Amino acid sequence: LCSESVCDGALDSEECQLVTAEYCAFHSEDRGCALYVPVFMRAANEATSIEVHSGALQGQGIVSAQLYEAGCACGDSSCASNAGSVTSVSGGDEGLVVVELMMSASRTFKVCAGAGSGSGVQYTVHLANVLVADTSCQFHMSESNPCTSPLCEDPVSEECQAYTAEYCSQFPGDG
């Protein structure tokens, strides 16, 4: 696993997360896998999906999933999130689970799953964490704001930082 080129210098990339999850699904004897939970970044208010390999759900048939607040345990019904929803779940037979999601708040969610469907599902498998960010523009007082400037195609560039500082000095109440 450590020799996978997709993970070179990019351990937090989605590709590396997927390779690691697949490895752990088929190598449960690796003690490091007991500590591993993939983390995905997604935008708020956009339909999205995640694909996760799970050895715990392999061969279980129908799989269901639910979102929980990050600080809660999977299956704790008092912590099921109302700031997002699972719109569909597919797979599971071969260990690959695809979860379609919609999240409306910027926060971290746990995606938990269990075998079966309906009210009797025990959501005990922690499939992944999803970090959700509001990607909408936070500047509104001028059409020439940092969100629309070509200087800010890379928002952490020096050019964008300078442009944003200048914009904020002209529109101190914005953003």
Side-chain angles (χ1 to χ4, degrees):
L1 180 63
C2 294
S3 64
E4 290 289 334
S5 62
V6 71
C7 296
D8 287 346
L11 293 175
D12 60 348
S13 72
E14 186 153 330
E15 293 81 14
C16 186
Q17 299 288 312
L18 294 172
V19 166
T20 305
E22 181 177 17
Y23 169 85
C24 287
F26 296 103
H27 295 90
S28 58
E29 73 281 358
D30 187 327
R31 291 181 291 155
C33 291
L35 304 172
Y36 177 73
V37 175
V39 178
F40 300 95
M41 298 181 73
R42 295 293 187 264
N45 300 308
E46 291 182 15
T48 189
S49 66
I50 61 169
E51 294 182 9
V52 182
H53 286 272
S54 172
L57 296 171
Q58 190 170 354
Q60 295 292 317
I62 296 172
V63 174
S64 297
Q66 188 165 355
L67 294 177
Y68 289 85
E69 299 297 330
C72 299
C74 286
D76 182 350
S77 60
S78 68
C79 287
S81 178
N82 62 2
S85 63
V86 172
T87 55
S88 74
V89 181
S90 59
D93 288 338
E94 300 298 318
L96 179 65
V97 180
V98 179
V99 182
E100 308 259 343
L101 308 161
M102 174 65 92
M103 295 148 299
S104 60
S106 295
R107 63 176 76 154
T108 301
F109 294 92
K110 275 186 179 177
V111 181
C112 302
S117 62
S119 61
V121 175
Q122 299 292 313
Y123 297 100
T124 58
V125 178
H126 186 180
L127 279 182
N129 289 332
V130 180
L131 306 176
V132 180
D134 184 354
T135 58
S136 63
C137 185
Q138 302 301 308
F139 299 101
H140 305 288
M141 294 181 128
S142 169
E143 288 186 27
S144 62
N145 64 58
C147 299
T148 60
S149 171
L151 293 172
C152 289
E153 286 179 11
D154 177 5
V156 295
S157 69
E158 284 186 39
E159 295 83 8
C160 182
Q161 298 299 312
Y163 185 85
T164 303
E166 178 63 28
Y167 178 86
C168 289
S169 70
Q170 293 175 9
F171 301 98
D174 198 7

